[in-house]
Amino acid sequence: MNRSTSDRRLHLRRLGLGAAGALVALGAAAGPAAAHAGVTASDPRALAENVTLTFTSEAESDTAGIAELRVVLPRGIAPDAVTLKDAPAEWKLTVTPDGYAIGGAALATGTDAEYSITVRQLPDEKSLAFKTLETYGDGKVSRWIEVPTGGEKVDNPAPVLALRAAAPGAKPVAPSPSPSPTPSAAPPVQPAPPAQPSAAAPSAASGARASGEEDAGSGTGFVVGGVAAVVLLAAGGAFWWLRRGRGRT
């Protein structure tokens, strides 16, 4: 083997070791950041319905376990469009104004937190970022809320889900309409009660009855007066006749 061949091999070996070292350094720099918090989807297409999203948060603390994860939902997913599908034992999901919080008893130290939710429909976007706050049992908080733009590197990347194009014919699901109030049936119109005659205003019937009584009383008095006059005349005539007869005798 001549000297030139030996030098060439040594040069190639150095290049190989340098490339391997660069790959190791790149993996050390990029690997952990990509594994801190991630998300996958059962159907990663825009406008897909009833999609299961699975989140994984890597445990980083050596002294406490993850106790809660708070997520800010991306635009196009409303908090009431999310339901819990699977989670660690005794963990519950609570809706917040901008997303949800899921947690419960702290996991064992070093245990990754994994859970799944069901989303009614994914929005018509190219990617979705789920900003996440990890809270540990000792109060420590890890903030995975940075969204890389333009391929730049960030220190605390949020879980990002890349979406494919929507299926042909897919359309946004209309939100459930709020129930409109049912108009109540109008109550039947009740006839007005008959007016009660007041003491100051006697009814027509009572007036007619009083008038009739007055007329009857007047007629009766006239008849009695006439009879009395006839009796007096008869008595007077009889008295005159008796006196006349006594004078003749």
Side-chain angles (χ1 to χ4, degrees), residues 56-61 64-67 88 91 106-114 134 136:
T56 302
S57 291
E58 181 179 311
E60 297 180 307
S61 176
I66 299 174
W91 277 32
L107 303 178
T109 302
T111 303
D112 297 342
E114 183 174 329
E134 299 176 4
Y136 289 81

Side-chain angles (χ1 to χ4, degrees), residues 127-214:
S127 63
L128 303 174
F130 298 85
K131 298 180 180 181
T132 303
L133 299 180
E134 299 176 4
T135 302
Y136 289 81
D138 58 1
K140 177 185 175 182
V141 178
S142 296
R143 303 175 183 273
W144 306 108
I145 58 175
E146 296 180 308
V147 181
T149 57
E152 65 179 348
K153 179 183 175 182
V154 294
D155 295 330
N156 302 292
V160 176
L161 177 65
L163 298 182
R164 300 196 300 266
K171 296 181 181 180
V173 175
S176 301
S178 10
S180 55
T182 303
S184 59
V189 179
Q190 299 292 339
Q196 298 295 332
S198 63
S203 63
S206 61
R209 184 170 58 252
S211 176
E213 291 174 354
E214 292 177 359

Side-chain angles (χ1 to χ4, degrees), residues 4-215:
S4 61
T5 302
S6 177
D7 292 342
R8 191 180 300 112
R9 288 181 177 178
L10 179 60
H11 181 66
L12 292 174
R13 184 180 300 173
R14 287 175 178 174
L15 288 176
L17 291 174
L23 289 175
V24 171
L26 181 61
H36 282 313
V39 57
T40 59
S42 60
D43 188 0
R45 294 181 297 174
L47 299 180
E49 299 181 37
N50 299 319
V51 179
T52 298
L53 301 182
T54 301
F55 293 84
T56 302
S57 291
E58 181 179 311
E60 297 180 307
S61 176
D62 295 331
T63 59
I66 299 174
E68 183 186 61
L69 301 170
R70 177 162 181 171
V71 177
V72 176
L73 290 170
R75 181 182 62 181
I77 301 179
D80 61 358
V82 172
T83 55
L84 181 61
K85 184 174 182 180
D86 189 24
E90 300 182 0
W91 277 32
K92 296 181 180 180
L93 184 145
T94 304
V95 174
T96 62
D98 56 0
Y100 61 87
I102 180 172
L107 303 178
T109 302
T111 303
D112 297 342
E114 183 174 329
Y115 69 95
S116 299
I117 60 173
T118 300
V119 179
R120 186 185 306 157
Q121 185 180 43
L122 298 180
D124 191 5
E125 301 286 348
K126 293 182 178 180
S127 63
L128 303 174
F130 298 85
K131 298 180 180 181
T132 303
L133 299 180
E134 299 176 4
T135 302
Y136 289 81
D138 58 1
K140 177 185 175 182
V141 178
S142 296
R143 303 175 183 273
W144 306 108
I145 58 175
E146 296 180 308
V147 181
T149 57
E152 65 179 348
K153 179 183 175 182
V154 294
D155 295 330
N156 302 292
V160 176
L161 177 65
L163 298 182
R164 300 196 300 266
K171 296 181 181 180
V173 175
S176 301
S178 10
S180 55
T182 303
S184 59
V189 179
Q190 299 292 339
Q196 298 295 332
S198 63
S203 63
S206 61
R209 184 170 58 252
S211 176
E213 291 174 354
E214 292 177 359
D215 293 344

